[in-house]
Amino acid sequence: MRYDRLFVNGRLATMVAGGAPYGVVESGYVAVNDGRIAAVGAMADLPSDASGERIDLEGRWLTPALIDCHTHLIFAGDRSDEYEQKLAGVPYQEIAKAGGGIPKTVEAVRASSPADLAAGAMKRLDVFAVEGVGTIEIKTGYGLNLESEVNMMKAARSLGLISGMRIEVTLLAAHAVPPEYKGRADAYIDEVCVPLIEKAGRRGLADAVDAYCEGIAFTPEQTRRVFEAAKRAGLKIKLHADQFSDTGGAALAAEFGALSADHLEYTDAAGIAAMARAGTVAVLLPGAFYVLGEATKPPVAALREAGVPMAVATDANPGTSPLLSLLTAANMACHLFGLTVEEAIAGITREAARALGLHDEIGTIEAGKRCDLAVWDIERPAELVQWIGARPLHGRILAGEWA
């Protein structure tokens, strides 16, 4: 039995649901062919005639490569002044109304080339790589016109070629109403968002479409028009939902079969039930909750009881969640939102893959999936969430090869 590569003598946290905690195989192997997992199991069950390049993991822990399913990693400019304002007690909504927030980043992005945007994002992407991240979602939404949003999508696509990581690109043109369309949000949807969605679908520039359904952004009716355009274009759907108020965003996302609804601090029981029926993943974003000093937490207990899968992401962005550590996000999800450690690790592997529509490809260590793995110098999986600032990564394996 010939394999391209055999990773042996590892302690596997496969993250396959329904078995042992973390899907643990205490002494195991992973066999690889053509960049995919051909077989996985206990060392005692490794066929005696198995051959191929052998890499001895020497008892190290092996998990799926981590997945950040919600970031705004491509941007330009600086908003550290807003951080000082937030610490002084100025609400984010007031900062945005005064010309800060998203519009400030939009101005800087519009003045940047695709190459400049990609170069800035690459520095941030490197930080994720040393934490074992193999797949990351990157949203647009800081261009807010036809040219700049396309530039952001192109920059995001280029990062996949440069970094070797899997980059999922999400078009978030419906992030905010730009200054030139102030008071004309409906016209912005018709003249900018819909044409961008059509182009993204036609040219393969994006994998999904997102929108910000909130009082300071777009109404449910406007969001519905964005989603209808996404459906016509054959693009997957995600939603920033119910962050500052219950707009019915979670239920709207579920109605359109959205992969995920993200934030969810104000989601009600009807929204949770709708998500459960639709299989929509709840993406928890503790970085934004923490930085904004919010008091209302996502309804984790109700989501858990309803069987809604829960993912965890950084929401990395220059304003409301300047967080470049997925492991820290997992720690925060436990301490701030009440996730268990196993739920948090599943949230940055198995459930994060589900939130991107990639659960058949990545997120668990199973035969047939792409061989994206992280190797750790730890004693137990819980260490990944316990420590703040530690980076115990020994190495990443992407498509079956050391990255």
Side-chain angles (χ1 to χ4, degrees):
M1 193 173 296
R2 178 77 184 176
Y3 298 108
D4 295 340
R5 200 162 290 109
L6 281 162
F7 296 96
V8 299
N9 297 320
R11 302 174 74 186
L12 314 183
T14 67
M15 299 312 299
V16 174
Y22 307 100
V24 164
V25 178
E26 277 292 346
S27 177
Y29 75 92
V30 176
V32 184
N33 273 331
D34 297 323
R36 292 191 170 271
I37 299 172
V40 57
M43 287 298 297
D45 298 326
L46 179 63
S48 58
D49 62 346
S51 63
E53 179 189 4
R54 288 196 177 220
I55 294 93
D56 193 338
L57 297 175
E58 299 177 334
R60 293 183 176 89
W61 277 95
L62 197 63
T63 71
L66 305 187
I67 303 164
D68 195 333
C69 61
H70 183 133
T71 83
H72 304 256
L73 212 61
I74 293 179
F75 59 85
D78 168 64
R79 282 164 59 187
S80 58
D81 57 326
E82 295 177 15
Y83 180 68
E84 294 179 304
Q85 292 178 60
K86 292 188 199 84
L87 290 179
V90 182
Y92 174 69
Q93 293 92 325
E94 288 186 23
I95 293 172
K97 288 178 181 178
I102 294 168
K104 186 175 181 181
T105 301
V106 169
E107 183 179 358
V109 166
R110 288 181 176 182
S112 302
S113 69
D116 290 337
L117 293 172
M122 190 65 212
K123 295 176 184 177
R124 295 181 279 274
L125 199 61
D126 286 341
V127 181
F128 285 90
V130 298
E131 278 201 349
V133 174
T135 296
I136 191 163
E137 185 249 25
I138 299 178
K139 301 179 190 294
T140 69
Y142 291 134
L144 305 187
N145 63 25
L146 293 169
E147 179 183 3
S148 296
E149 287 290 306
V150 169
N151 284 347
M152 292 189 74
M153 288 188 281
K154 288 180 177 178
R157 283 285 188 238
S158 72
L159 289 173
L161 299 174
I162 297 168
S163 69
M165 294 171 66
R166 183 167 193 156
I167 307 295
E168 288 290 298
V169 181
T170 297
L171 174 60
L172 180 59
H175 195 192
V177 179
E180 65 268 27
Y181 278 93
K182 186 176 181 180
R184 298 189 300 127
D186 286 326
Y188 174 68
I189 296 292
D190 292 337
E191 297 170 13
V192 178
C193 294
V194 171
L196 275 167
I197 291 168
E198 292 171 349
K199 177 178 276 192
R202 188 170 61 250
R203 295 177 53 185
L205 292 171
D207 304 295
V209 169
D210 198 346
Y212 190 14
C213 186
E214 190 55 73
I216 59 173
F218 295 94
T219 66
E221 292 76 18
Q222 291 161 347
T223 302
R224 179 180 295 276
R225 285 158 56 200
V226 170
F227 286 175
E228 288 169 348
K231 284 285 190 183
R232 290 194 300 271
L235 294 170
K236 297 178 284 190
I237 290 172
K238 300 170 69 68
L239 183 64
H240 287 60
D242 306 335
Q243 182 180 9
F244 299 120
S245 60
D246 182 9
T247 63
L252 179 61
E255 178 187 337
F256 279 85
L259 293 175
S260 73
D262 305 23
H263 286 295
L264 302 177
E265 280 85 342
Y266 287 86
T267 298
D268 63 10
I272 293 170
M275 290 176 65
R277 290 192 298 270
T280 298
V281 177
V283 177
L284 308 180
L285 305 173
F289 176 89
Y290 169 78
V291 171
L292 292 172
E294 294 296 313
T296 301
K297 301 179 181 182
V300 165
L303 290 165
R304 184 186 290 130
E305 184 176 356
V308 175
M310 292 182 287
V312 177
T314 62
D315 191 16
N317 74 72
T320 60
S321 188
L323 176 60
L324 297 178
S325 170
L326 188 55
L327 293 178
T328 300
N331 174 282
M332 295 169 78
C334 292
H335 283 276
L336 299 177
F337 295 163
L339 264 64
T340 67
V341 171
E342 186 172 2
E343 285 175 330
I345 296 177
I348 58 176
T349 54
R350 183 181 70 234
E351 307 307 348
R354 192 177 302 279
L356 295 176
L358 298 176
H359 49 286
D360 290 334
E361 276 283 301
I362 54 174
T364 57
I365 305 177
E366 293 183 87
K369 292 194 174 182
R370 177 177 153 114
C371 187
D372 285 0
L373 310 171
V375 186
W376 307 96
D377 290 314
I378 55 175
E379 291 299 319
R380 299 181 65 248
E383 284 187 51
L384 296 176
V385 176
Q386 173 195 12
W387 287 94
I388 301 172
R391 285 176 173 159
L393 183 72
H394 179 76
R396 288 182 309 160
I397 299 162
L398 300 182
E401 298 184 4
W402 290 107

